[in-house]
Amino acid sequence: MRRLSSAIVVLGITALVTLPAAAQTTTTAPQPPPPMTNLQVYPKDTPRPEIVATMQGFVQALGVQSAGGCGYCHAGTAPTFDFAADAKPTKTVARKMILMSREITAKLPDVTGKPAADVTRIRCATCHRGVAIPKLLPDILTETVNKGGSAAAVQQYRDLRKQYYGAQAYDFSENALAFLGQQLTAANKPDDALALLQLNAEYYPNHPATYGMMAQAYMRKNDKENAIKNLEKAVQLDPNNQQAKRQLEQLKK
Ligand code: HEC
Ligand code: HEC
């Protein structure tokens, strides 16, 4: 009985307290956002603008503007997100990622022998560089070669390049595919290597190393004629390439 009556009193008080505030909001400014209730990593009294700025940094670092923005991690839909809810697995992962980033930063002084003030602070973007799953381009393409063949990898490169060229997400420089071609030849996949090296030559027709790598792939296939052709191209583009010159002399013997 006692408990019930005190509950009634509490209810009465809250009603009294909230009424004027509610009346005010209907006539003037929009309702202030509710206080934050589920901060587990950041200090609970962090000012809201600071949290929101950090969150905008997350959206940027993971490049999820067009993948839901805040909704990539938060339940609900704009503009009525339930920021406090932990319904989305991405939010739970993100919380652990904050802690992981701190742990790595904390280890750096020991690992590098530098004072704590001098080491790099690990941020989301240090790894993510504008993508939610930060995988390096050669690794993405190698997986595709292994699963779907080199034609699928060629198409994937074109698509990623269209979407991300000029962003920090992936290395589309002339050396990236040339290096991958070299690795595929070393892994005894000269045909896959050639598909990607030909693609590189399409974007970078004057990159000598690409033709050098093609020559290596043809040699792996015992295709002497095409190996010579590509070595000649490499030497033509870079007359100082002694290695290509030597290989050319050997092949022509
Ligand atoms: C990559 C995932 C991710 C994205 C994207 C993200 N958030 Fe968050 N958000 C989190 C995590 C994790 C927490 C919890 C932090 C903690 O526990 O201290 C959080 C907490 C919050 C909170 C506090 C909620 C409460 O009551 O405890 C607010 C407000 C918030 N986010 C707003 C935003 C806004 C606005 C955006 C878009 C600009 C956004 N978030 C985008 C991961 C994300
Ligand atoms: C040391 C590197 C590193 C740092 C720093 C880092 N992440 Fe990650 N994060 C990764 C990797 C790698 C993955 C992908 C794991 C996988 O293979 O699925 C990932 C995945 C995620 C995912 C899941 C994405 C999905 O769609 O599955 C979220 C969310 C995320 N990170 C948020 C963050 C946030 C927020 C920060 C900064 C507080 C951060 N990460 C910092 C490496 C990092």
Side-chain angles (χ1 to χ4, degrees):
M1 262 331 232
R2 255 243 194 99
R3 228 181 244 163
L4 188 66
S5 60
S6 64
I8 291 167
V9 171
V10 169
L11 276 176
I13 289 170
T14 19
L16 274 179
V17 170
T18 51
L19 244 177
Q24 206 179 11
T25 49
T26 50
T27 52
T28 57
Q31 267 188 332
M36 292 176 291
T37 54
N38 192 19
L39 292 181
Q40 295 176 24
V41 174
Y42 297 119
K44 299 210 181 293
D45 58 352
T46 312
R48 192 180 182 94
E50 207 174 291
I51 289 290
V52 170
T54 302
M55 296 293 146
Q56 281 160 346
F58 287 179
V59 172
Q60 199 64 29
L62 273 67
V64 293
Q65 295 89 336
S66 56
C70 309
Y72 190 74
C73 296
H74 289 291
T77 40
T80 55
F81 290 111
D82 183 353
F83 289 119
D86 286 344
K88 288 210 169 171
T90 38
K91 184 182 177 190
T92 310
V93 172
R95 204 177 254 137
K96 293 184 191 164
M97 288 271 165
I98 300 167
L99 296 172
M100 182 186 83
S101 307
R102 284 182 189 170
E103 277 168 34
I104 300 174
T105 305
K107 280 188 182 148
L108 283 176
D110 186 37
V111 169
T112 61
K114 289 185 187 170
D118 290 356
V119 297
T120 303
R121 187 180 137 205
I122 303 294
R123 297 169 174 278
C124 311
T126 309
C127 292
H128 279 272
R129 309 174 327 274
V131 281
I133 301 208
K135 199 172 282 196
L136 294 179
L137 186 61
D139 293 344
I140 293 176
L141 296 174
T142 302
E143 269 172 37
T144 305
V145 164
N146 293 339
K147 275 190 218 146
S150 53
V154 166
Q155 189 55 46
Q156 187 178 32
Y157 181 88
R158 290 191 199 284
D159 293 345
L160 288 172
R161 193 180 163 105
K162 206 181 280 168
Q163 189 180 348
Y164 288 105
Y165 192 86
Q168 58 172 346
Y170 298 115
D171 178 9
F172 293 113
S173 73
E174 56 189 13
N175 286 318
L177 281 184
F179 180 63
L180 180 57
Q182 186 181 29
Q183 285 181 317
L184 287 167
T185 300
N188 206 18
K189 293 185 170 178
D191 290 315
D192 293 332
L194 284 168
L196 291 168
L197 290 166
Q198 263 142 18
L199 177 68
N200 208 38
E202 185 186 314
Y203 287 109
Y204 302 105
N206 299 319
H207 185 230
T210 298
Y211 301 98
M213 303 297 175
M214 280 203 230
Q216 307 305 319
Y218 280 120
M219 261 155 11
R220 188 57 75 112
K221 285 162 63 73
N222 290 319
D223 183 342
K224 206 169 155 181
E225 195 187 321
N226 274 312
I228 289 174
K229 240 189 240 168
N230 280 285
L231 283 171
E232 280 171 342
K233 179 91 181 169
V235 172
Q236 180 202 327
L237 288 169
D238 177 13
N240 293 321
N241 188 335
Q242 301 304 334
Q243 198 194 354
K245 276 185 184 167
R246 264 199 310 276
Q247 281 179 340
L248 203 50
E249 275 166 25
Q250 267 175 357
L251 279 177
K252 280 181 166 173
K253 263 183 200 162

